[in-house]
Structures are given as C-alpha cells and as structure tokens.
Amino acid sequence: MNNIKNIFNSFNILGDYISSEPYGNGHINDTYKVFVSQGGATIHYLFQRINNHVFKNPENLMSNIERICIHLQYKIKKSYSQNASRSALSLVSSKEDKPFVLDETGYWRCYLFIEDALGYDIIDTENQAFEAAKAFGTYQSLLSDLPGERLIETIPDFHNTPKRFQHFKEIIRLDTNSLADSVKKEIDFYLSFEKEISYFTDRLKSGDLPERVTHNDTKLNNVLLDVKSGKAVCIIDLDTSMPGLAAYDFGDLVRTSTCFSAEDEKDLSKVVFQKEMFESLITGYLSTASSFLTENEVKSLVFGSILMTYEVGMRFLTDYLDGNFYFKSKYTEHNLIRSRTQMTLVESLLQNRDELEEFTWSVYENMKKSKFCPV
Ligand code: ADP
Ligand code: GN1
Ligand code: MG
C-alpha cells in the first residue's frame, strides 16, 4: 500500500495518511478506503485507480465526472435542504488542481467517502428496490439540464447491442482458447436473439426514444443505501454516465435487483425472478421519472430489462471465450457462470413480459391520474 501513500500525498487532502484497504466488489476499477488523521479525528477517503484497459481516455472520463459532480452538488444544494456532500459524489482535486493524479500505475481519483451507507450485491427487501429505482430516476432528472456540450462517450457503443453481438460472433469465430465447443448451449442461447438485438439502436435512430444523460451501469451496488434508514443516499460509479436511454438504466437495475441470488450463483435453481421486486422497482422509478418520460419510453422499460440482462450475459460469455480480460474474475469459469445466471433471468423475464408490461402501464397511468386530480 506504499503506492497509495504516495498517491495520497499528491491529492489536496489536509491531514496525515494512516492506512488503506481494498474496498467494495466492483468488477472494473481498483478501489481503496483510505484512513486519514485530521485534527485528531480519523476520516476516510475513497481512492480509485481507473481501469485503463476498459477506459481508453481517463482524462475525458474525469472531465465528464467533474461536470456531473459539480452539477449534482449545485442542484441538490439549491433544491433540497439535504447534506449535498453525502447525496452526490464530491471529487477531491490534486495538488496540481486536477480531478486526478497520474503515476506510473495509471490514473487515480479521490472522492469523499460516503459514510454509513452501503451498496448491496443482492437485493433483500422491496424497500431497497423502491429506494434504488427512485434514486436512479432522480439522477436522470437532475442531469436533464446538465449545461455544456454533450457528454463524451467514455466507452463508445457501450449499449449498442448489435455491435456487442458482432463482437461476440467474432470471438466465437476466432475461438482462441478452444472453448466454443464446450459451451455450445450457452452460445446458441445468445445467438438465438439476433432478431431482437437492434430494438433500442433502431428506436434511438428513428427518434422514437429520446437520448438522455443516463448512468448506464445501474447495478444495485452502484447506489449507496443508508445503513440505518435504508433510504437511498448517493449514486456512485459514474464512469459510464453519458448519453443513453432511460430503459438502459431501468433495465440494468431490474437485472440486478429481482433475484435473491448472486450474479455468480452456480446453482441455477436459486436464480428465481421475484415479481414483487420488479413491482417495487417500477413504482420507485416512476415516482421520480414519470414526470419526464415519454409514453414510448415507459413502454420500453420491460424490454430494456430483458435486453440489458441479455447484453451483459453475452458480454460475460464473450469475456470467458476471450480469456477473461475485461471483468475481474476469481476463477477461470467465473464469467461463464455469470453468463448462465443471466440466461436464466432472461428466460424468466420473457415468461413474465406481458404481465410486467401491463403492471408498468397501470402504475404509470395511476401516477399520471393522481397528478392531474390531486386528492
Ligand atoms: P467499479 O467501477 O469497480 O464497480 P465503484 O465505483 O462501483 O467501482 O466502487 C466500488 C465500490 O466502492 C462500490 O460498490 C461501493 O461499495 C464503494 N464506493 C464507491 N465510491 C464510494 C464512496 N464515495 N463512498 C463510499 N463507498 C464508495
Ligand atoms: C461492470 O463496474 P461495475 O462492477 O459496477 C460493468 C457493467 C456490467 C457489470 C456486470 C464499465 O459494472 O457494464 O453490467 O460489471 N461496467 C463496465 O456486473 O463495463
Ligand atoms: Mg460499481
């Protein structure tokens, strides 16, 4: 951890470095909780080394994040009497007044540590689902008037499912690790969706669905919930906040919040879709998003859940075939196991699709009615 101490010295932090430890379960960046003595009290900061294999231009990425953090802080301070430094991420600048520090190991950033709040890998209660979804709706709403130029696409075509599909097919064709024969069932499953994969790219192009500033990586553990009250505190992991569709965000949250099993559960009999979690998610999300979503967007949310689950599952399988270069993994088959849970979830979502769409529409209509006819 000597390196972290050096990095610490390059940020504009008052106080003395005590120690640091790896933190959280993210699949992408290297994250550390850093303990600092400040005037006799121990306080914490969150340090991250940005994954430069995944993010090709960390300086552009940090310029997006800086704009977003400043805007969120400004709007939260202006409209709510809340603790803004706990409700939105705050970047600590470097001694050179930059939002990052570059050393021989890569780009580092530092955030204020959000205390007494946790990101959960597995959903537990309907209240958590409601709170998380409500918070992502608020996030989209707060960023709807982000001033300045269109945000930079930190990973171009991140949710371009047809491009992901082409890449998947190319990796199967190359089959550099000679694994394709052993996972034929999984490959066939993901290939069988070819007709569905351009649903969002087509509608984005035709203008049926509007581009918005979205988060694009809304897994449940990317929203911190207060450990005591369970209320949503802060949206984190802003690396992929950029132009996108509302359904991407709602969809990825459904993917990660409607099963009581882990993303890497080996026993697929435990991967069971929980309808009441979906109901809490849609109710929470529409409580903050129904005021700005178009009807077409509302109608796209259930399919967004299916396609986002499919897309990530296909990405896991692609990474497995390719030699596990992208997602952090603990054993060789880790990404294969992850791709299987996503297959099971896609199947359950498809089975429930009509009912979920009807439920979504009824919640939306009720919210619209109660808005126009307040009791
Ligand atoms: P990754 O991109 O690798 O997923 P994240 O930005 O999601 O990295 O961070 C990893 C974990 O660190 C999160 O799941 C969360 O538990 C924790 N975390 C991130 N930022 C903060 C913060 N500012 N305060 C407290 N915990 C944080
Ligand atoms: C990654 O960074 P993290 O763990 O929140 C990935 C997401 C995937 C997710 C799957 C930048 O999210 O796209 O959906 O893993 N993030 C990136 O768990 O690729
Ligand atoms: Mg994360």
Side-chain angles (χ1 to χ4, degrees), residues 101-117:
V101 164
L102 175 62
D103 79 351
E104 63 288 353
T105 66
Y107 283 86
W108 291 82
R109 66 182 164 219
C110 171
Y111 290 117
L112 296 190
F113 192 91
I114 311 284
E115 300 287 349
D116 303 319

Side-chain angles (χ1 to χ4, degrees), residues 46-63:
L46 198 288
F47 278 39
Q48 276 183 326
R49 181 171 49 203
I50 301 168
N51 182 325
N52 60 3
H53 172 68
V54 167
F55 299 106
K56 307 289 181 210
N57 192 330
E59 297 199 18
N60 279 347
L61 179 150
M62 288 313 297
S63 113

Side-chain angles (χ1 to χ4, degrees), residues 304-364:
S305 313
I306 297 168
L307 207 66
M308 287 303 101
T309 308
Y310 164 84
E311 186 187 88
V312 175
M314 178 174 61
R315 290 172 60 200
F316 286 144
L317 187 56
T318 307
D319 201 27
Y320 170 68
L321 293 169
D322 196 26
N324 303 315
F325 287 115
Y326 189 95
F327 296 103
K328 287 188 177 174
S329 53
K330 297 198 171 113
Y331 52 96
T332 313
E333 283 81 28
H334 207 162
N335 281 311
L336 173 62
I337 297 293
R338 288 168 172 154
S339 80
R340 288 183 180 144
T341 58
Q342 306 307 291
M343 283 165 60
T344 305
L345 192 51
V346 167
E347 278 168 343
S348 326
L349 286 164
L350 280 170
Q351 276 158 18
N352 286 280
R353 182 174 178 178
D354 291 345
E355 204 183 320
L356 300 180
E357 284 183 337
E358 271 167 39
F359 186 83
T360 299
W361 193 250
S362 72
V363 173
Y364 177 69

Side-chain angles (χ1 to χ4, degrees), residues 246-258:
Y248 298 158
D249 281 3
F250 182 71
D252 202 51
L253 190 58
V254 169
R255 177 182 81 78
T256 51
S257 311
T258 52

Side-chain angles (χ1 to χ4, degrees), residues 84-332:
S85 69
R86 194 165 178 259
S87 307
L89 287 176
S90 309
L91 279 167
V92 177
S93 51
S94 75
K95 284 188 173 150
E96 291 174 357
D97 206 23
K98 292 203 170 124
F100 56 81
V101 164
L102 175 62
D103 79 351
E104 63 288 353
T105 66
Y107 283 86
W108 291 82
R109 66 182 164 219
C110 171
Y111 290 117
L112 296 190
F113 192 91
I114 311 284
E115 300 287 349
D116 303 319
L118 288 175
Y120 295 88
D121 294 331
I122 302 180
I123 194 83
D124 189 19
T125 66
E126 289 171 44
N127 183 55
Q128 289 177 336
F130 179 90
E131 281 294 319
K134 182 179 164 198
F136 279 113
T138 303
Y139 184 79
Q140 290 175 343
S141 164
L142 291 173
L143 291 177
S144 61
D145 60 350
L146 180 75
E149 292 183 358
R150 190 172 181 268
L151 288 171
I152 294 154
E153 293 189 42
T154 55
I155 302 179
D157 296 314
F158 189 60
H159 285 310
N160 186 327
T161 320
K163 283 212 172 153
R164 298 255 182 215
F165 189 81
Q166 287 312 322
H167 180 57
F168 175 53
K169 286 211 303 197
E170 182 59 11
I171 293 294
I172 297 168
R173 193 186 66 75
L174 293 172
D175 195 19
T176 28
N177 299 299
S178 307
L179 290 167
D181 279 350
S182 63
V183 290
K184 192 171 175 325
K185 199 172 107 216
E186 290 79 1
I187 289 178
D188 287 347
F189 175 88
Y190 285 106
L191 288 179
S192 72
F193 277 78
E194 186 159 13
K195 287 204 187 91
E196 318 278 351
I197 55 177
S198 48
Y199 181 93
F200 285 110
T201 38
D202 287 350
R203 277 160 188 76
L204 186 57
K205 212 192 265 167
S206 67
D208 280 357
L209 295 172
E211 181 181 281
R212 300 186 179 280
V213 175
T214 49
H215 183 284
N216 297 304
D217 187 3
T218 52
K219 63 199 268 193
L220 179 67
N221 70 13
N222 284 333
V223 50
L224 302 182
L225 305 179
D226 187 281
V227 289
K228 285 205 195 94
S229 69
K231 295 246 174 243
V233 174
C234 183
I235 300 291
I236 58 161
D237 202 348
L238 312 183
D239 295 323
T240 51
S241 286
M242 57 184 168
L245 294 177
Y248 298 158
D249 281 3
F250 182 71
D252 202 51
L253 190 58
V254 169
R255 177 182 81 78
T256 51
S257 311
T258 52
C259 272
F260 295 136
S261 54
E263 194 182 54
D264 56 1
E265 173 58 59
K266 289 183 179 156
D267 178 356
L268 292 180
S269 71
K270 292 189 181 150
V271 183
V272 181
F273 172 69
Q274 305 294 331
K275 212 180 320 157
E276 69 283 2
M277 290 299 167
F278 178 91
E279 293 173 358
S280 300
L281 288 171
I282 197 71
T283 312
Y285 181 61
L286 290 179
S287 74
T288 46
S290 65
S291 58
F292 63 81
L293 292 179
T294 65
E295 291 196 353
N296 278 348
E297 283 178 296
V298 176
K299 288 179 185 158
S300 74
L301 296 175
V302 172
F303 193 64
S305 313
I306 297 168
L307 207 66
M308 287 303 101
T309 308
Y310 164 84
E311 186 187 88
V312 175
M314 178 174 61
R315 290 172 60 200
F316 286 144
L317 187 56
T318 307
D319 201 27
Y320 170 68
L321 293 169
D322 196 26
N324 303 315
F325 287 115
Y326 189 95
F327 296 103
K328 287 188 177 174
S329 53
K330 297 198 171 113
Y331 52 96
T332 313

